[in-house]
Amino acid sequence: MRIGLRLFYNPGWMGGVNYVLNWARALQSLPAGERPRVTLLAATPAAQKIAEEHAHLGDAIAPFQNTASLGLDFVYPATQLAETPFGAPWAGWIPDWQCRHMPELFSQGEARRRLLQYRLLATHAPVCVVSSQMADADTARVVPEAQAPRHVLPFPAVFASEVYARTPERIAATRARLGAPGRYAIICNQFWRHKNHLLVLEALERVTRDDVHIVMSGALQDDRWPDYADRVRALLAEPRVGQHVTLLGSIARDDQIDLMLGAIGVVQPSRFEGWSTVVEEARALGLPSLLSDFPVHREQSPPASQFFDPDDAATLAARLDAWFAAPPARLSSDAAEARQRDYVVACARRFLAIAAEAKRRYDPAVHDPKPVTAQSLLELRADVTAGRVAADDEALFQAGARGLFREHPEELAGLGGYIGQEAYPLYPSAMTQMMVASLVKMSPEARQRFFDADLSGDAVAHEARASLATPAGKMSLTALSAAAKARDIVRGMLKR
């Protein structure tokens, strides 16, 4: 099987980058006879750099824009319809519905965008993947009309054999260099408010043992609540709390792994996770874990895990006292590696089974970006008219779709062919607007590809393009393009 893994780059969500890379590692873990051919698909220059840095995880690197010519059996993941590939089977991915459970973590526009994009994925994808049973139940509740078959596909943590072979001497040297004590538990989270570090600090104020110690890694910053870091620092300044904490900030990944290997266990106090990476890493390394009692953590439940109420500092304090009085048993490195190897192979086989189903179900006439966009525009127009969706949400979808079609001028030319089809009774003005707005942001070379695209046999698409192909139409596009560039320059200056 030929698999395309779509790499994207979002500095605010490195978990998404690691998610894709971990699936590449998982697929590599399969026996040689089962292992697919993996192409790393780079959607942006930043993603291209990530692909090159991790070229050993795939058999090839290619631009995401070229999927139609690569002969792929499956492309994954699409987190919105604007990320769907041309000419290849694909699956959507809904990590979680945090935007529904904790809307305060998002701007109003971002929360609406996620709700809309996930709803459209659940409706139009050949197959839709969710990371947990909780996300599956949320999808059924939020999108009861969802038509795409859903599969729960938790992702594993995958470590190289080198990690399991790290020596006590190396781990001790890292611990000494970073100022960690001889015995500690570890928290590996960014200091975002919902990660719930304050509960841990309040618990440390109540512990009865002097030797309870927590090492915390992660950037002490949450731009959404600038005062949150000040509250953390204020608690750390209390001698009763500060003596139990080593605060490291952001550290190198190798150092983080060394510290995890040297810990008596992992503490994860978060109030919400789609599927906790650090919990999966605790499972992979054979570490005991103290987890907030939250449905996804219960679902993950690695061996030797205990739970506490995320609002109950006293219970967590008692758990920590008990841990340090009698540290829980942990697996040897060899046993942890063997157990995790079997788990990762099972996850990879599950991935390939979903890929095979997506390939069977994929129908270009239904699931390719052109019909998906056409159908979604139709549905959104009806939703706006009925008051179910705000006009701004429709505009958000169109903006994403324009970004996709700007990379595929020939496909944009063919989009006009859906005007007037019985299955797509689209409003021609909206389709024309979509095409014009896409063309305005294209380079002159890409715009020419739109006009040169072969539309023989598609009279409607040809007619839709004809009005734009006149000298007056092309002059108008040139003028609109210049105006758009000037507007972008002004916006950029205002942001400085």
Short mmCIF file of all heavy atoms in Angstrom, two decimals, residues 135 249 361 423 445:
data_model
loop_
_atom_site.label_atom_id
_atom_site.label_comp_id
_atom_site.label_asym_id
_atom_site.label_seq_id
_atom_site.Cartn_x
_atom_site.Cartn_y
_atom_site.Cartn_z
N ALA A 135 -14.26 11.55 21.78
CA ALA A 135 -14.43 12.34 20.56
C ALA A 135 -15.48 11.71 19.65
O ALA A 135 -16.23 12.42 18.97
CB ALA A 135 -13.09 12.46 19.82
N GLY A 249 11.37 25.21 32.41
CA GLY A 249 10.99 25.88 31.17
C GLY A 249 11.11 24.92 30.00
O GLY A 249 11.09 23.69 30.16
N ARG A 361 -13.99 2.98 -0.14
CA ARG A 361 -15.15 3.88 -0.12
C ARG A 361 -14.97 5.11 -1.00
O ARG A 361 -15.96 5.74 -1.39
CB ARG A 361 -15.45 4.34 1.31
CG ARG A 361 -16.06 3.26 2.20
CD ARG A 361 -16.43 3.87 3.55
NE ARG A 361 -17.22 5.08 3.40
CZ ARG A 361 -18.52 5.14 3.16
NH1 ARG A 361 -19.21 4.00 3.03
NH2 ARG A 361 -19.15 6.29 3.05
N ALA A 423 -27.57 17.81 -9.41
CA ALA A 423 -27.16 17.46 -8.05
C ALA A 423 -26.59 18.66 -7.29
O ALA A 423 -26.50 18.64 -6.06
CB ALA A 423 -26.13 16.34 -8.09
N GLU A 445 1.49 33.24 -13.56
CA GLU A 445 1.71 31.94 -14.20
C GLU A 445 0.59 30.96 -13.85
O GLU A 445 0.08 30.24 -14.72
CB GLU A 445 3.06 31.36 -13.75
CG GLU A 445 4.29 32.17 -14.19
CD GLU A 445 4.53 33.39 -13.34
OE1 GLU A 445 3.91 33.51 -12.26
OE2 GLU A 445 5.32 34.25 -13.77
#
